[in-house]
Amino acid sequence: MIMVTPSRKPRVAADAKDGAETLDFGMLPGLVGYVLRRAQLRVFEDFIRSFEPLALRPAQFSALLLIEANPGRSQREIAAGLGIQRPNFVAMMDEFEARGLARRTRSEVDRRSHALMLTPAGTDLLVRAKAVVAEHEARATAGLSEPDRLRLLALLKAM
Amino acid sequence: MIMVTPSRKPRVAADAKDGAETLDFGMLPGLVGYVLRRAQLRVFEDFIRSFEPLALRPAQFSALLLIEANPGRSQREIAAGLGIQRPNFVAMMDEFEARGLARRTRSEVDRRSHALMLTPAGTDLLVRAKAVVAEHEARATAGLSEPDRLRLLALLKAM
DNA sequence: TATTGTTATACTCTATAACTATA
DNA sequence: TATAGTTATAGAGTATAACAATA
C-alpha cells in the first residue's frame, strides 16, 4: 500500500529565470511518472545538444549502435528492438543511406527483407559518438556517485 | 571518470511477441538516458491507459493539480511551472473551460493576465484523479519496495 | 518599451491503414 | 494467406514569430 503523501508544505521555486515566483507542486514531486519525465527531459536536452555536432538524434544513435552490434538483421528486427514502428524506421534508414552511414542489402534467404549493416563511415561516426556519449553520461550523472548511478540504473530496470 | 562499460556479452530478448529474436543491445542498458527513456515510456503508457476514463493526459493532470494548489495564478506562471510554452497552454485552458473544469478571470491588479482556478467540477475530477494516480503509482513501482521507490525519486532529483 | 494572452505555423514523434513484392 | 518494406496520413507535443490589449 503506497501512500503518495501530499506533502503540501514544501514550496519550491518554479523557475528562477522568469520572476521570483514560487509555486506549490503538491503531490507531483512524489510521483515517479512526474519525476521520471522531468529527469528524462533534462537528460535528453543535454544529449541532443551534445550530439548536434554529429547531427544525431537519440533514436538515431541507438539505431546505429544496434545495427553495429547486430549486423545483417532486418529493419523489422532493429525497429522492434528500438521500440519504434516499422514505417517510422524507413525514413531513418533512408537518411542513414543518404549520409553513407548504413546500407540495406536484400537478404539472400528471404528476399522481402533487408540485411542492415554499417558502412566504414558509420563505424567511424560511432567511434566519435561513443566518446560524446561518455561525456554526456558524465554530465547527466554528475550529481551521483558511481554506486548511485548503478543503483539508479538497477532501480529503473526493476520497475 | 565514468567507464560506461560496453558489456557486449549479455544478449537480451528483443520482444517475445514478434519472434524469438535476440538482439545485442551493446552499451545501451548502461546509459541513463536510454534506461530512463524506456522506463518513462513504460510508466506513461500505464498512466495514459489509467486516465482514459477521466479523459486526462499527463500534462492535463499536472496542470489541474498546479491550478488547485495555486489558485489565482496566471497562465504564464502555471505554464512555466509545467515547463510548457505559454502559447501551448492556451488550448489546454480552452479545453478545461469547455469541459467546465477550470475558469479564467481577468486579474484586478493586472488586467492583461488571467487568474486561474478550478471549478467545483474540476475539484471533483481531481479527487477521482488522485485515486487513479495512486493505483497507477502502485502498478508502476510494483517491482520496488517503498524504500527503493523513495531512493529512486531521490536519485532522479539528484541528477 | 515590455508583458499577457493569443493566433498562426512548423517541426518532430508517433500510430495506423493500405499498397507491393515476396513467402 | 501472411510478412517485410514502403507510402501516405493523421495526431500528439513542442517551439517561435507576431499581434492586440495592457502595463
Side-chain angles (χ1 to χ4, degrees):
Chain A
M1 176 40 170
I2 290 170
M3 280 309 294
V4 187
T5 35
S7 69
R8 271 287 141 62
K9 299 305 159 223
R11 285 177 165 256
V12 275
D15 201 343
K17 293 180 294 289
D18 48 54
E21 351 273 13
T22 258
L23 282 182
D24 183 347
F25 280 77
M27 65 172 17
L28 288 178
L31 297 175
V32 284
Y34 177 80
V35 178
L36 209 48
R37 175 65 171 163
R38 284 307 184 98
Q40 189 259 311
L41 286 176
R42 284 199 308 274
V43 171
F44 260 45
E45 201 178 323
D46 183 86
F47 185 104
I48 291 169
R49 211 175 327 109
S50 308
F51 275 79
E52 261 166 16
L54 302 188
L56 285 181
R57 307 283 302 178
Q60 291 177 312
F61 170 71
S62 300
L64 291 178
L65 266 186
L66 231 55
I67 296 171
E68 182 190 47
N70 306 273
R73 296 306 196 92
S74 68
Q75 291 188 193
R76 181 188 62 77
E77 291 172 308
I78 300 297
L82 293 169
I84 70 181
Q85 302 296 315
R86 274 60 89 215
N88 296 330
F89 187 49
V90 173
M92 198 186 289
M93 278 306 305
D94 287 348
E95 184 181 330
F96 286 160
E97 286 201 320
R99 294 171 60 180
L101 301 175
R103 283 181 330 199
R104 310 185 234 223
T105 49
R106 286 239 96 91
S107 165
E108 295 295 326
V109 291
D110 183 344
R111 295 169 29 77
R112 291 173 301 184
S113 69
H114 288 158
L116 307 184
M117 62 182 58
L118 294 190
T119 63
T123 305
D124 284 357
L125 184 64
L126 259 191
V127 170
R128 286 194 284 154
K130 286 170 186 169
V132 171
V133 89
E135 291 166 19
H136 153 71
E137 182 82 3
R139 269 192 308 277
T141 59
L144 304 179
S145 67
E146 179 61 7
D148 276 349
R149 192 184 74 91
L150 296 176
R151 198 157 13 240
L152 173 60
L153 290 174
L155 289 169
L156 290 170
K157 289 169 185 169
M159 288 182 49
Chain B
M1 175 40 169
I2 291 168
M3 282 307 295
V4 186
T5 34
S7 68
R8 269 287 140 61
K9 299 305 159 223
R11 285 178 164 257
V12 274
D15 201 344
K17 294 180 294 288
D18 47 55
E21 352 272 12
T22 258
L23 284 182
D24 183 348
F25 279 77
M27 66 171 17
L28 288 179
L31 297 175
V32 284
Y34 177 79
V35 178
L36 208 50
R37 174 65 172 162
R38 284 307 184 98
Q40 189 259 310
L41 286 175
R42 285 199 308 274
V43 172
F44 260 46
E45 201 178 323
D46 182 87
F47 185 104
I48 291 169
R49 210 174 329 107
S50 308
F51 275 79
E52 260 165 17
L54 301 189
L56 285 181
R57 308 283 303 176
Q60 291 177 313
F61 171 71
S62 300
L64 291 178
L65 266 186
L66 231 56
I67 295 172
E68 181 190 47
N70 305 273
R73 295 306 196 92
S74 70
Q75 290 187 196
R76 181 188 62 78
E77 290 172 309
I78 299 297
L82 293 168
I84 70 180
Q85 302 298 316
R86 274 59 90 215
N88 296 331
F89 188 50
V90 173
M92 196 185 290
M93 278 306 305
D94 287 348
E95 184 181 329
F96 286 160
E97 285 201 321
R99 294 171 60 181
L101 301 175
R103 283 180 329 197
R104 310 185 234 224
T105 48
R106 286 238 97 92
S107 164
E108 295 297 325
V109 291
D110 183 345
R111 294 169 30 78
R112 291 173 301 184
S113 69
H114 288 159
L116 307 184
M117 62 181 60
L118 294 190
T119 63
T123 305
D124 283 356
L125 184 65
L126 259 191
V127 170
R128 286 194 285 154
K130 285 170 186 170
V132 170
V133 88
E135 290 166 19
H136 153 72
E137 182 82 3
R139 269 192 308 276
T141 60
L144 304 180
S145 67
E146 179 62 8
D148 276 349
R149 191 184 75 91
L150 296 176
R151 197 157 14 240
L152 173 61
L153 289 175
L155 288 169
L156 290 171
K157 290 169 185 170
M159 288 182 49

